[in-house]
């Protein structure tokens, strides 16, 4: 007679919670990046998107892990640098024109500059996780860049000089800076991974990705992204070594001559766009005029409220009172699947001036001071790694991302679906600058100290 096997002899299935615990902690960060590959719905240029929602889940996941592991989450330096912006934000929120505007602006700033960077810092558990996130940036950039090149070749992009050829990827004509930002981040990560002392395979693949991303970046026609990327790559090359910088610079220059001069890849329009960078006094186009007019308006707001600014989200309300008649009513956008839309100019397109106008000197010193402190800490660790140690590729990626962001903030501010990537970048920078890299252990976890063999044997 056959007996059924005893219940205790059957292998017990692991519960769902146990399976979830086996997933890598950095998975929510990767999901935030992956969701930005999805196309946006019509008119989805503003407000929170799926990636923003997942970033909130990443913060929640990080908090639950800290409670379960019962460890000190951040060092005092990390708490000071990441928590410093809260002071200026709280003061500016109280001075907002309405409670709704104050709370909305406060939540957005905390998400981008405090909560998500802190979560990324804690969820990245080592150099392997850091490289995984960096490669995710490269993959997203290649996807968006491929779509952008297709839009240029088929005339299905955003409108530029009467032709629908501007590469915008899935972000649409209402967020023409979205693809340029994503491609720039991917390019900076690829350059850092290629220049680091890593495997030959990683360096070769990363270098090929970096060269491929130059094309969609050019076809984005984004002058601010061009300037920030050129500055960042030069800084990365110099940090990696002067000899290597000269070699890579020669290769990039030769490639640019071949693509633009030899094959004529948008040479006329690109040349005109490059020339417009320097035409700020002779014959500036309307976009340049609008930008400088809004910069002057932001400075005027700051002069009236030098310490605390006009309050969060107060720039649009006070713009007309400080702007000259040279400011146009808005910018025209169309193409990439959408009709003609006239977008109002609601920000100065300069992050530093936006903070100065809305948060005053208190907010600017808190935010920009924290960014500069992160850069100093990151460069100090990079110098130590160059003397001999693992992680040069991580150092170049982190410092490169921060240099790009600090440079781009002179020509742009936060806004749009791609803004959440800024928070992830700041989290990577914070991990490199503030986390313990002696082992692959998480920041804040105590590392056991090994006793000498003689003492252990004596016991």
């Amino acid at each position: 007679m056959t007996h059924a096997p005893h219940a205790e002899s059957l292998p017990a299935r692991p519960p769902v919670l146990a399976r979830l615990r086996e997933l890598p902690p950095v998975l929510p960060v990767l999901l935030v990046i992956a969701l930005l590959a999805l196309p946006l719905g019509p008119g989805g240029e503003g407000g929170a998107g799926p990636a923003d929602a997942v970033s909130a889940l990443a913060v929640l996941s990080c908090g639950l892990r800290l409670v379960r592991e019962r460890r000190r989450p951040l060092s005092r330096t990390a708490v000071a640098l990441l928590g410093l912006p809260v002071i200026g934000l709280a003061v500016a929120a109280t001075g907002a024109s309405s409670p709704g505007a104050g709370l909305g602006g406060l939540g957005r700033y905390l998400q981008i500059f405090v909560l998500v960077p802190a979560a990324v810092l804690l969820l990245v558990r080592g150099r392997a996780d850091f490289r995984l996130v960096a490669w995710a940036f490269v993959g997203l950039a290649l996807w968006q860049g491929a779509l952008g090149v297709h839009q240029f070749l088929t005339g299905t992009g955003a409108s530029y000089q009467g032709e629908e050829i501007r590469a915008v990827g899935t972000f649409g004509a209402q967020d023409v800076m979205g693809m340029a930002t994503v491609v720039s981040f991917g390019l900076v990560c690829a350059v850092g991974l290629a220049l680091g002392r890593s495997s030959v395979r990683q360096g070769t693949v990363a270098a090929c990705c970096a060269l491929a991303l130059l094309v969609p970046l050019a076809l984005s026609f984004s002058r601010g992204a061009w300037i920030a990327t050129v500055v960042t790559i030069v800084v990365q090359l110099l940090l990696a070594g002067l000899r290597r910088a000269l070699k890579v610079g020669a290769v990039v220059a030769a490639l640019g001559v071949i693509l633009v001069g030899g094959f004529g890849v948008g040479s006329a329009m690109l040349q005109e766009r490059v020339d417009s960078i320097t035409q700020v006094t002779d014959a500036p186009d309307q976009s340049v005029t609008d930008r400088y007019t809004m910069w002057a308006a932001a400075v005027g707001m700051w002069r009236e409220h030098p310490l605390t600014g006009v309050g969060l989200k107060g720039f649009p309300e006070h713009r007309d009172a400080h702007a000259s008649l040279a400011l146009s009513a808005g910018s025209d956008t169309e193409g990439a699947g959408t009709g003609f839309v006239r977008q109002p100019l609601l920000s100065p397109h300069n992050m530093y001036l936006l903070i100065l106008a809305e948060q005053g000197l208190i907010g600017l010193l808190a935010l920009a001071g924290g960014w500069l402190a992160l850069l100093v800490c990151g460069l100090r660790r990079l110098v130590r790694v160059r003397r001999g140690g693992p992680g040069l590729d991580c150092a170049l990626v982190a410092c490169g991302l921060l240099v790009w962001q600090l440079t781009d903030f002179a020509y742009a501010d936060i806004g749009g679906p791609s803004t959440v990537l800024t928070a992830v970048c700041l989290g990577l920078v914070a991990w490199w600058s503030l986390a313990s890299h002696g082992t692959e252990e998480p920041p804040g976890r105590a590392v056991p100290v090994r006793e000498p063999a003689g003492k252990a044997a004596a016991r």
Side-chain angles (χ1 to χ4, degrees):
M1 185 175 179
T2 305
H3 296 279
H6 196 272
E8 294 181 356
S9 63
L10 295 176
R13 293 184 178 181
V16 177
L17 291 178
R19 292 181 179 179
L20 292 177
R21 290 175 184 177
E22 296 176 358
L23 296 176
V26 78
L27 185 61
V29 181
L30 300 176
L31 188 57
V32 170
I33 299 174
L35 285 177
L36 287 174
L38 301 178
L40 299 174
E45 68 275 7
D52 294 285
V54 174
S55 71
L57 292 178
V59 175
L60 179 61
S61 171
C62 180
L64 293 176
R65 286 182 178 274
L66 294 178
V67 172
R68 188 179 67 248
E69 296 175 0
R70 297 179 180 178
R71 62 185 177 89
R72 189 180 68 182
L74 297 171
S75 64
R76 293 180 180 177
T77 304
V79 171
L81 293 184
L82 294 178
L84 190 62
V86 178
I87 301 174
L89 292 173
V91 174
T94 59
S97 58
S98 66
L103 290 177
L106 179 63
R108 185 61 163 168
Y109 272 96
L110 289 178
Q111 174 204 7
I112 302 303
F113 298 116
V114 179
L115 296 177
V116 175
V120 174
L121 164 61
L122 294 169
L123 293 175
V124 173
R125 297 300 178 99
R127 290 185 290 272
D129 285 353
F130 186 100
R131 295 186 182 103
L132 190 59
V133 177
W135 278 112
F137 270 106
V138 176
L140 177 64
L142 289 173
W143 165 249
Q144 293 287 354
L147 292 177
V149 173
H150 179 266
Q151 290 169 338
F152 175 82
L153 296 176
T154 58
T156 56
S159 177
Y160 179 75
Q161 294 186 353
E163 300 181 58
E164 296 184 353
I165 58 172
R166 188 169 189 175
V168 292
T170 63
F171 295 97
Q174 283 74 36
D175 186 16
V176 294
M177 287 294 298
M179 191 212 74
T181 300
V182 169
V183 170
S184 299
F185 284 154
L187 180 57
V188 170
C189 288
V191 171
L193 292 169
L195 294 176
R197 292 191 295 262
S198 56
S199 64
V200 177
R201 180 180 179 182
Q202 173 178 291
T204 303
V205 174
C208 293
C209 292
L211 293 176
L213 290 173
L214 290 174
V215 177
L217 179 62
L219 299 180
S220 70
F221 296 104
S222 174
R223 294 169 292 197
W226 292 351
I227 295 172
T229 304
V230 170
V231 170
T232 302
I233 292 179
V234 170
V235 171
Q236 286 179 305
L237 291 173
L238 293 177
L239 292 175
L242 184 58
R243 183 181 301 178
R244 186 177 300 182
L246 295 176
K247 292 180 180 179
V248 176
V251 173
V252 172
L255 183 64
V257 171
I258 294 174
L259 287 177
V260 179
F263 296 105
V265 180
S267 56
M269 289 186 175
L270 287 175
Q271 184 62 45
E272 181 180 352
R273 192 66 167 171
V274 172
D275 292 341
S276 69
I277 296 176
T278 60
Q279 294 174 351
V280 295
T281 56
D282 297 336
D285 56 29
Q286 186 59 45
S287 64
V288 175
T289 301
D290 288 340
R291 178 164 301 184
Y292 280 89
T293 303
M294 290 188 294
W295 287 7
V299 173
M301 297 177 199
W302 165 69
R303 286 176 177 172
E304 290 188 359
H305 306 274
L307 289 180
T308 59
V310 296
L312 293 181
K313 291 194 173 183
F315 181 87
E317 182 180 350
H318 295 79
R319 182 200 63 184
D320 294 339
H322 296 84
S324 67
L325 296 178
L327 183 65
S328 64
S331 59
D332 302 336
T333 61
E334 64 178 323
T338 59
F340 177 83
V341 177
R342 191 158 185 82
Q343 287 187 307
L345 303 174
L346 302 179
S347 68
H349 296 291
N350 182 303
M351 191 64 198
Y352 305 110
L353 291 179
L354 177 63
I355 297 172
L356 194 64
E358 295 186 345
Q359 304 178 40
L361 283 175
I362 296 177
L364 182 63
L365 292 176
L367 276 167
W371 300 336
L372 292 178
L374 284 177
L375 182 60
V376 171
C377 294
L379 291 175
R380 288 176 58 187
R381 286 197 162 175
L382 185 148
V383 171
R384 289 201 295 266
V385 168
R386 277 195 59 183
R387 295 172 182 171
L392 181 59
D393 53 347
C394 299
L396 293 174
V397 168
C399 295
L401 288 174
L402 186 54
V403 169
W404 189 94
Q405 195 64 78
L406 294 180
T407 306
D408 184 70
F409 274 163
Y411 302 92
D413 46 48
I414 59 174
S418 61
T419 300
V420 69
L421 287 182
T422 298
V424 177
C425 289
L426 292 176
L428 292 179
V429 174
W431 179 86
W432 171 255
S433 302
L434 305 175
S436 175
H437 302 156
T439 66
E440 292 297 316
E441 291 295 324
R445 176 175 294 179
V447 180
V449 180
R450 293 184 177 180
E451 294 183 350
K455 291 184 179 181
R459 289 190 176 182

